[in-house]
Amino acid sequence: MSGRDQILGKLRSKLGRASTTVSENAALNHMQAHQKNLIPARGDLPKAQRVALFKQEAEKVNATVSELSHFGDVPNAVADYLRQHQLPAAIKIAPHPGLKNLRWAEDTSIEVLDGRANGDDPVSVSVALGGVAETGTIVMASGPDTPTSLNFLPLDHIVVVSADDIAGNYEAVWERLRAQADAAGRPGTLPRTVNWITGPSRTADIEQTLLLGAHGPQRLHILIVDGLETTAADA
Amino acid sequence: MDATSLNFKNNARGAIADDPLQKALAKLAVGFPLKRAQAAARLPEFEGLRDQARDIKNHVLENLDLYLEAYEEKVIASGGHVHWCATAADARETILKICQDAGAKTVTKSKSMISEEIAVNGFLEDNGIEPIETDLGEYIIQLRKEPPSHIIAPAIHLSKEQVAETFRNAHIDLAANRPLEEPRALLEEARGKLREKFLRADVGLTGANMLIAETGTNVLVTNEGNADLTNNLPRVHVVIASIEKIVPTLEDATTILRVLARSATGQEISVYTTFCTGPRRPDDLDGPEEYHVVLLDNGRTDMIGSEFHEMLRCIRCGACLNHCPIYKSIGGHAYGWVYSGPMGAVLIPNLIGMEDAQHLPNASTLCGKCESVCPMRIPLPKMLRKWRERQYRAEIGSKQVRWALHAWAWLAKRPKVYRYVMSLGIAMMGQFGGAGRFKSVPFAGGWTSKRDLAAPTGDTFISQYHKGARGDQSGELIRRKIMR
């Protein structure tokens, strides 16, 4: 008997089920309903306060946050960050059309490469699907414009997020991902990887001493851009 | 791994004499409970979320067969493979086969209690494949060939000096006189060493905090980011998870995530919460080309519908360990197997057998703190008592204890005799306990070698009650009931 038959057979007999019926299936009904459970009221705020809460929560877990009024200000903000931390003027950006088309060469002297991270990129810049004010979390979804390795291999990770994409709670982000999957003709699917990222990497495995930069980035810098077209962020 | 649970009493004695361990436990005993309490206090919905988290897992367990089938269908639809394994041996063989088919020489691993449970590391090594633990704590204990001593902080029992010594012995290519006094230096060294391993591993083996049936997704929660480098960089991603890890929807997973980190470390949420679904898509620039899920039973189906059914709600947060007076005195290794603390004392007898784990359900004061902090509201003390009952029926345990229990039960069932014996006993003890306490009592050396026993100063509660020294007028009804 296969492991599958053995496990399912034993479960069915223990649960007193004669066979699986397609209709009258409590599990199917539950999954299709996408019923929301209790959602903390904390993030349920108008936009300005929501963004403020996001910033406050992100800073509490050692992320740094800057607010920009235009997407076009990103290159200068990145240049400032590199100078401030005395980092080399070289970055790996996500191959995201919006990011690639910025005036990197005109506005800065940063050497810009795009693509996935290889392990020798000190700084990455990528675009978030959105943010969650509840805990100051950014949400990254993998795709051709947003390779996941950029979120983890470099020591410094800079993330651009649109203020309009900062939701009150995680559930709102699931709804957006479901809508995107429906629009792409792939209902009920997710990108290969969805990352909730809340602050830079850390460990307390040695004598319960908190240290940043365990395996992922030691610093996480978030650029909140007001008025950034959501379509650009999602492209 | 081979269990040493039968040696619990000696293990515990050793643990109490282990100074670095006692120092670490003293720190843990304050830090984790305080942080959990603060996180819980900051979220008004916390208790409500615990109720819902419990209800979600109860619903899953009632429909586990249906959810497993739905989950499998979604994994396959997203291009992944599902391997059903009834036993630990099946799971080890399955993982080895996947690694061999991938031509793997090295396998990076992110912390997985199930992988400890099935002892896959030794098995891969025996078959010429090098497994590399990447969680910092797991990496340290792998170098020391030790099991984890805490579910979420596996190297919590070690001092930084012990870690430095471990690194000096293991990283012999580095300068022998390098400074390793500071935790930061230790972290930098491990990060450098593991970075090389991450980049050249052929297979990445992770556990799963949850499996989401709706989308065929596995959830990974870490603070270090090691699970992410493990699942993203190698050509093959293998997930090992036990069958009860299923939750129905993204919303249900989200509810459980809201109680997980708060209960575990007191964080609002862990740094990295990752949702992996299938292999990389055709136009993705990174991610694994193959995605496998090894679904393990290893005793879970036996627990369904049993007295220990509710244990299957456990999400391995470690809150019961952090709040347990026994765990906080002896640490995790004394329990003699992969799991420890109250959850271990309930789970281990289910997995390795009641005989071999007989001491563990008795290593509890039944104070109830574990249940009061469990995010899934698992009645751990009730289940510990169930094991004690089973042991009594199976005639496991010392003759002395069984005889005492037997004598007690005989007395307790005969109220008149009981009261007479008690009044004699109390009068006698009151006579001899002149100074108000005993320094030693025959047959109770286990108690009095560490502390004095208070001597009774009056007579029994019942006789005081009859004299009207206890209770008020409203006690009259109870008094009559007691007399009956």
Side-chain angles (χ1 to χ4, degrees):
Chain A
M1 188 161 47
S2 75
R4 188 181 191 279
D5 293 345
Q6 212 173 320
I7 293 170
L8 287 177
K10 206 160 163 189
L11 281 175
R12 290 197 188 107
S13 86
K14 290 255 179 183
L15 295 168
R17 214 185 304 281
S19 69
T20 313
T21 48
V22 181
S23 59
E24 292 297 312
N25 185 326
L28 271 181
N29 294 341
H30 183 93
M31 283 188 291
Q32 281 161 2
H34 297 147
Q35 193 198 324
K36 291 198 182 77
N37 304 313
L38 185 59
I39 297 177
R42 189 196 289 177
D44 187 15
L45 297 165
K47 182 179 156 186
Q49 284 101 304
R50 202 163 66 225
V51 172
L53 176 64
F54 171 84
K55 185 166 182 265
Q56 176 199 316
E57 292 298 313
E59 286 173 343
K60 216 185 269 178
V61 289
N62 313 86
T64 50
V65 182
S66 294
E67 293 183 75
L68 308 178
S69 31
H70 302 288
F71 188 47
D73 297 340
V74 167
N76 274 320
V78 171
D80 287 347
Y81 179 85
L82 298 181
R83 265 194 302 277
Q84 187 196 337
H85 294 287
Q86 295 177 319
L87 292 163
I91 56 172
K92 178 69 74 71
I93 64 168
H96 176 279
L99 267 189
K100 279 169 76 173
N101 291 334
L102 289 169
R103 296 164 50 90
W104 296 102
E106 293 85 342
D107 292 357
T108 73
S109 54
I110 303 171
E111 185 191 321
V112 179
L113 295 172
D114 68 86
R116 53 160 297 166
N118 296 318
D120 49 5
D121 312 294
V123 182
S124 63
V125 181
S126 52
V127 179
L129 174 81
V132 180
E134 186 179 338
T135 46
T137 301
I138 55 166
V139 181
M140 310 295 298
S142 65
D145 301 339
T146 47
T148 301
S149 50
L150 290 175
N151 309 341
F152 295 98
L153 280 170
L155 208 52
D156 285 80
H157 183 204
I158 302 174
V159 188
V160 182
V161 62
S162 164
D164 291 327
D165 291 338
I166 294 175
N169 52 62
Y170 312 109
E171 281 80 352
V173 182
W174 292 134
E175 279 188 355
R176 271 185 68 200
L177 278 166
R178 281 201 188 106
Q180 282 185 8
D182 289 348
R186 293 188 297 268
T189 65
L190 285 178
R192 149 66 195 169
T193 310
V194 176
N195 299 115
W196 292 358
I197 300 179
T198 314
S201 160
R202 67 199 60 201
T203 184
D205 273 351
I206 300 172
E207 290 195 348
Q208 302 167 62
T209 309
L210 180 71
L211 298 169
L212 298 182
H215 286 298
Q218 191 166 345
R219 286 185 290 247
L220 174 69
H221 187 56
I222 303 171
L223 300 174
I224 302 176
V225 181
D226 212 358
L228 170 61
E229 288 292 317
T230 312
T231 46
D234 287 346
Chain B
M1 69 177 267
D2 293 330
T4 65
S5 305
L6 210 45
N7 207 22
F8 176 81
K9 290 184 179 178
N10 282 328
N11 293 350
R13 249 175 240 126
I16 287 166
D18 180 339
D19 286 339
L21 174 68
Q22 288 302 321
K23 221 175 115 203
L25 291 171
K27 205 164 169 182
L28 168 144
V30 177
F32 277 134
L34 179 69
K35 287 179 198 150
R36 178 203 170 272
Q38 287 168 345
R42 210 200 142 202
L43 190 69
E45 294 87 354
F46 188 69
E47 296 304 318
L49 286 164
R50 287 174 68 188
D51 290 339
Q52 289 193 339
R54 171 200 60 206
D55 295 347
I56 289 166
K57 280 308 272 281
N58 280 346
H59 167 79
V60 167
L61 294 173
E62 277 164 32
N63 297 282
L64 190 54
D65 54 336
L66 303 176
Y67 280 117
L68 283 167
E69 282 183 300
Y71 167 77
E72 178 191 40
E73 196 184 311
K74 283 293 183 175
V75 173
I76 293 168
S78 62
H81 306 271
V82 178
H83 309 266
W84 301 72
C85 296
T87 66
D90 294 348
R92 284 192 294 266
E93 291 288 349
T94 303
I95 292 169
L96 175 65
K97 174 88 170 37
I98 296 168
C99 293
Q100 285 171 337
D101 289 349
K105 291 189 183 66
T106 63
V107 175
T108 43
K109 287 185 64 200
S110 75
K111 199 174 81 59
S112 150
M113 294 307 293
I114 299 294
S115 87
E116 297 280 351
E117 187 181 317
I118 66 168
V120 73
N121 284 5
F123 185 73
L124 289 176
E125 276 166 12
D126 292 347
N127 286 280
I129 294 169
E130 185 196 356
I132 303 143
E133 294 288 353
T134 63
D135 170 86
L136 179 59
E138 283 282 340
Y139 177 66
I140 294 165
I141 61 167
Q142 185 186 24
L143 293 178
R144 296 173 65 90
K145 302 191 190 315
E146 288 176 3
S149 66
H150 189 286
I151 309 177
I152 62 159
I156 200 155
H157 57 288
L158 297 171
S159 67
K160 62 180 195 284
E161 289 76 20
Q162 289 172 301
V163 178
E165 191 196 333
T166 306
F167 282 7
R168 281 191 204 284
N169 293 337
H171 305 154
I172 45 174
D173 55 321
L174 299 175
N177 60 352
R178 65 193 186 280
L180 284 179
E181 284 72 38
E182 290 307 312
R184 170 57 67 183
L186 296 166
L187 170 62
E188 297 291 344
E189 181 164 320
R191 181 179 166 115
K193 280 283 161 199
L194 287 166
R195 189 48 75 96
E196 299 163 23
K197 312 272 189 191
F198 277 127
L199 291 168
R200 64 179 171 77
D202 307 290
V203 172
L205 178 61
T206 71
N209 292 80
M210 284 179 271
L211 304 172
I212 304 174
E214 174 194 3
T215 48
T217 299
N218 74 273
V219 184
L220 294 169
V221 177
T222 75
N223 279 314
E224 298 185 4
N226 59 308
D228 292 284
L229 295 176
T230 303
N231 86 66
N232 182 265
L233 298 175
R235 202 181 63 73
V236 180
H237 176 197
V238 182
V239 178
I240 167 89
S242 49
I243 52 174
E244 82 282 10
K245 291 282 167 195
I246 294 263
V247 295
T249 64
L250 295 164
E251 283 78 3
D252 294 331
T254 301
T255 297
I256 291 175
L257 286 166
R258 283 197 177 100
V259 297
L260 173 59
R262 289 182 171 98
S263 302
T265 57
Q267 289 169 286
E268 299 273 325
I269 189 151
S270 301
V271 176
Y272 300 112
T273 303
T274 299
F275 303 81
C276 302
T277 313
R280 72 200 278 178
R281 306 298 138 80
D283 48 2
D284 280 352
L285 300 181
D286 55 19
E289 288 163 31
E290 281 180 42
Y291 179 75
H292 297 266
V293 181
V294 178
L295 277 179
L296 177 72
D297 179 350
N298 203 30
R300 271 72 178 176
T301 47
D302 291 326
M303 290 166 70
I304 292 276
S306 78
E307 289 159 317
F308 308 104
H309 178 93
E310 290 179 276
M311 191 62 217
L312 295 170
R313 289 204 301 266
C314 176
I315 56 173
R316 309 287 190 265
C317 70
C320 61
L321 280 62
N322 300 339
H323 292 78
C324 174
I326 306 298
Y327 180 91
K328 289 193 283 192
S329 304
I330 59 173
H333 283 166
Y335 291 78
W337 203 52
V338 177
Y339 303 102
S340 56
M343 61 76 65
V346 172
L347 191 60
I348 295 172
N350 276 292
L351 301 184
I352 69 170
M354 177 165 75
E355 190 110 8
D356 287 342
Q358 57 179 279
H359 299 303
L360 306 187
N362 297 301
S364 168
T365 62
L366 301 182
C367 71
K369 192 73 190 165
C370 49
E371 182 176 357
S372 78
V373 296
C374 174
M376 309 304 287
R377 302 200 189 281
I378 298 171
L380 290 155
K382 184 182 94 183
M383 288 189 281
L384 290 168
R385 280 198 301 273
K386 291 289 175 196
W387 277 123
R388 293 181 187 187
E389 285 168 29
R390 283 197 186 191
Q391 288 183 357
Y392 185 83
R393 285 199 299 273
E395 299 188 6
I396 292 174
S398 84
K399 281 215 175 81
Q400 210 181 335
V401 171
R402 295 179 52 74
W403 180 87
L405 281 173
H406 199 77
W408 179 265
W410 188 90
L411 268 180
K413 279 184 249 173
R414 292 161 179 81
K416 281 188 181 153
V417 186
Y418 178 89
R419 276 181 218 131
Y420 178 67
V421 170
M422 283 299 131
S423 64
L424 277 186
I426 278 176
M428 207 163 75
M429 286 176 82
Q431 195 98 47
F432 287 104
R437 62 181 78 90
F438 294 97
K439 291 211 183 305
S440 71
V441 173
F443 308 114
W447 177 276
T448 53
S449 67
K450 299 278 187 255
R451 44 187 124 40
D452 293 347
L453 180 68
T457 50
D459 44 17
T460 66
F461 177 85
I462 295 275
S463 63
Q464 287 181 45
Y465 204 90
H466 287 304
K467 290 173 198 154
R470 292 298 194 98
D472 50 22
Q473 296 299 321
S474 64
E476 188 56 31
L477 187 68
I478 306 169
R479 192 181 307 174
R480 261 185 269 127
K481 271 193 179 157
I482 291 170
M483 288 312 293
R484 233 178 273 155

